[in-house]
Amino acid sequence: MSNHQIPALSEGSPVSGALESLRIKQLEEQSAALRNSVICAFNQLLDLKDLNTGVHSTRLAEWGMRVGQELGLEESELQNLEVAALLHDIGKVGIPDAILRKPGRLDADEYALMKKHSEYGWAVLRMLPGFERAALDILHHHESFDGKGYPAGLKSTEIPVVSRIVCVIDAFDAMVSSRPYRIGLPYAEAVRRLNEASGTQFDPVVVRTFLSFAQAEMSTVFAAAGTSVSSAL
Ligand SMILES: [Fe+2]
């Protein structure tokens, strides 16, 4: 061996441990950057289909995270929750525009096709390393607490907790948001409907947790939903 060659570090030495920690940190940073890039790329895809709700969906992800934190979810679950809250409807990219944009009620066949969006979203996201769990959470975001939802008819705690959270904030979002063909519901009516379906469609603990801070942040809620507080009240 020449004098210029660096001898191999012995395993377990302090220098080797420090290098290992540095390597792990770099990998974690790469993984976080990749995750953010994927979220951005899919958000742009939603934009292309005119399915993104911009600031609104970001606000919803924040509410979802807040519910998750108050329910004591672990950091890894919170990361999945963020992905699921932002991309839960990514599968709608695979639904024909005639169905997505139909202003009136969907007929049985159209509704059956529309319901496929949660499976489509799962099928795409599960291919990405690190997104497998979020893909499953997306698959189940239309399950109902009483087992009458889709696609699997799971009930209660059989439904992943992230899916139960996304289900509630997604429904609230849909209720209070204004669309080209209708004005969003007033806050009080949206709350009444959430409470009415608490325990049947929605997890009561998630509803209670969400409403515990939604009321206090009503103006932000409605600014995000495109409805003014005065018209909402
Ligand atoms: Fe959905």
Side-chain angles (χ1 to χ4, degrees):
M1 184 173 108
S2 99
N3 289 338
H4 300 295
Q5 280 182 316
I6 300 169
L9 291 167
S10 61
E11 244 178 77
S13 76
V15 179
S16 148
L19 283 174
E20 186 65 16
S21 303
L22 185 64
R23 179 85 185 121
I24 290 170
K25 191 166 178 287
Q26 284 174 337
L27 285 173
E28 282 173 352
E29 282 170 2
Q30 281 173 10
S31 158
L34 176 66
R35 186 172 151 273
N36 287 337
S37 306
V38 169
I39 293 173
C40 285
F42 278 115
N43 263 323
Q44 290 202 5
L45 196 61
L46 288 170
D47 277 338
L48 287 175
K49 264 288 228 186
D50 208 15
L51 285 169
N52 212 349
T53 45
V55 175
H56 181 41
S57 66
T58 311
R59 179 71 62 193
L60 285 174
E62 286 172 13
W63 297 339
M65 295 292 276
R66 185 151 168 197
V67 172
Q69 281 161 350
E70 300 213 4
L71 292 181
L73 265 58
E74 290 176 10
E75 184 55 37
S76 61
E77 284 181 305
L78 289 173
Q79 287 185 2
N80 293 331
L81 173 55
E82 187 182 24
V83 174
L86 289 168
L87 302 179
H88 61 275
D89 277 342
I90 190 73
K92 283 187 179 173
V93 167
I95 306 296
D97 281 352
I99 296 177
L100 284 178
R101 318 223 173 280
K102 187 175 176 181
R105 228 181 159 73
L106 300 179
D107 67 29
D109 288 344
E110 290 166 338
Y111 185 53
L113 200 49
M114 182 63 128
K115 290 202 298 188
K116 289 277 180 194
H117 79 274
S118 47
E119 288 169 69
Y120 291 170
W122 164 75
V124 171
L125 278 185
R126 78 191 174 99
M127 318 273 272
L128 292 164
F131 284 74
E132 300 91 342
R133 182 66 237 182
L136 272 176
D137 294 329
I138 285 174
L139 176 66
H140 295 297
H141 80 276
H142 282 290
E143 302 288 357
S144 187
F145 200 69
D146 59 9
K148 294 180 181 169
Y150 65 87
L154 300 182
K155 61 176 162 185
S156 184
T157 51
E158 290 171 357
I159 307 166
V161 64
V162 165
S163 311
R164 279 179 268 145
I165 295 171
V166 170
C167 180
V168 170
I169 59 171
D170 184 31
F172 184 82
D173 163 27
M175 285 192 267
V176 302
S177 294
S178 292
R179 303 274 189 255
Y181 51 90
R182 64 158 171 80
I183 296 172
L185 287 178
Y187 175 80
E189 177 58 17
V191 169
R192 193 193 66 75
R193 291 187 189 191
L194 270 194
N195 279 322
E196 190 179 56
S198 178
T200 50
Q201 185 180 357
F202 306 124
D203 179 342
V205 176
V206 173
V207 170
R208 210 179 311 132
T209 307
F210 175 60
L211 291 180
S212 71
F213 66 83
Q215 181 114 34
E217 293 185 5
M218 197 164 27
S219 59
T220 330
V221 168
F222 281 94
T227 312
S228 77
V229 180
S230 51
S231 72
L233 288 171

